[in-house]
Amino acid sequence: MIEGPACVAEGAAWLAERDPAWARALELSGPWPDRLRPGGFPALVQAIVSQQVSVASAAAIGGRVEAAGLHDPGTVLAADDETLKACGLSRPKQRYLRALAEAGIDFDALSRAPSDEVIATLVSVKGIGVWTAEIYALFALGRADVFPAGDLALQESARLLFELPERPTERALRDMAEDWSPWRGVAARGLWAYYAHEKSREGIR
């Protein structure tokens, strides 16, 4: 479990000892933030909001969603299409928020479940894919060994850090990440931090 900066620092040191590339990334972009956030329904709402939009757009839409009280399942189910649209939510995301509100997830039980079970439970909800489920496990539940290999910023950062000829595919990056276990969640944080350093912009909200 990642419970704060000390846990991230421990994982970062472990990675840096095993590969000079990680040591270089840590020197240039560390210390890496823990990025922990509260879990539950609001966290998944924000994860859905963040799908396939820029960090800046996700922040703007997320602010409107929160102001409209849409971090509550009952409010989501009571909201009409125009209310959701006014927040900047596309039609698919309107459907996804309603599906999440209807799912009745037991978030307390979810927080105690193994990571594989967490991801399987979440992806069973329409609109929540593997990336969203893994982001939730990483940041809301603090799972230390989850790695969202489908994230484009992670793929690009890995290309830069490890001097690869091309951006790795999700499968290839997931295979690479096997070497970073049991600290794959810290490796993800390190790659996002390195991406921000190299690109001068955030790759994850």
Side-chain angles (χ1 to χ4, degrees), residues 10 21 23 35-36 56 70 72 110 117 131 135 137 176 181 200:
E10 179 184 351
R35 299 183 182 273
L36 297 175
L70 297 174
D72 174 76
L110 195 68
E117 185 178 328
W131 179 86
I135 290 295
M176 285 178 64
S181 181
S200 298

Side-chain angles (χ1 to χ4, degrees), residues 41-51 58 61-63 65-66 71 205:
F41 185 82
L44 283 173
V45 169
Q46 289 299 335
I48 289 171
V49 165
S50 299
Q51 291 173 357
I61 298 169
V65 164
E66 185 172 6
H71 283 180
R205 186 180 174 197

Side-chain angles (χ1 to χ4, degrees), residues 8-161:
V8 176
E10 179 184 351
W14 186 92
L15 291 165
E17 287 174 3
R18 282 156 179 77
D19 193 321
W22 283 118
R24 183 172 72 254
L26 185 58
E27 180 181 359
L28 291 172
S29 61
W32 302 332
D34 61 43
R35 299 183 182 273
L36 297 175
R37 62 189 66 162
F41 185 82
L44 283 173
V45 169
Q46 289 299 335
I48 289 171
V49 165
S50 299
Q51 291 173 357
Q52 298 181 322
V53 297
S54 69
V55 173
S57 293
I61 298 169
R64 291 194 291 270
V65 164
E66 185 172 6
L70 297 174
H71 283 180
D72 174 76
T75 304
V76 170
L77 293 176
D80 59 21
D81 291 350
E82 288 304 312
T83 299
L84 299 179
K85 182 180 178 181
C87 292
L89 294 167
S90 64
R91 285 192 180 277
K93 288 185 180 181
Q94 292 174 33
R95 293 195 297 271
Y96 301 161
L97 255 61
R98 289 186 172 119
L100 176 61
E102 292 168 350
I105 295 172
D106 183 340
F107 288 102
D108 287 337
L110 195 68
S111 69
R112 298 187 295 271
S115 295
D116 288 349
E117 185 178 328
V118 169
I119 293 166
T121 298
L122 295 180
V123 299
S124 69
V125 179
K126 184 176 179 62
I128 296 182
V130 173
W131 179 86
T132 301
E134 289 175 334
I135 290 295
Y136 183 86
L138 264 181
F139 297 151
L141 301 184
R143 302 302 170 88
D145 203 32
V146 170
F147 188 86
D151 188 274
L152 293 180
L154 292 185
Q155 294 169 12
E156 176 64 9
S157 185
R159 182 187 71 80
L160 295 169
L161 179 60

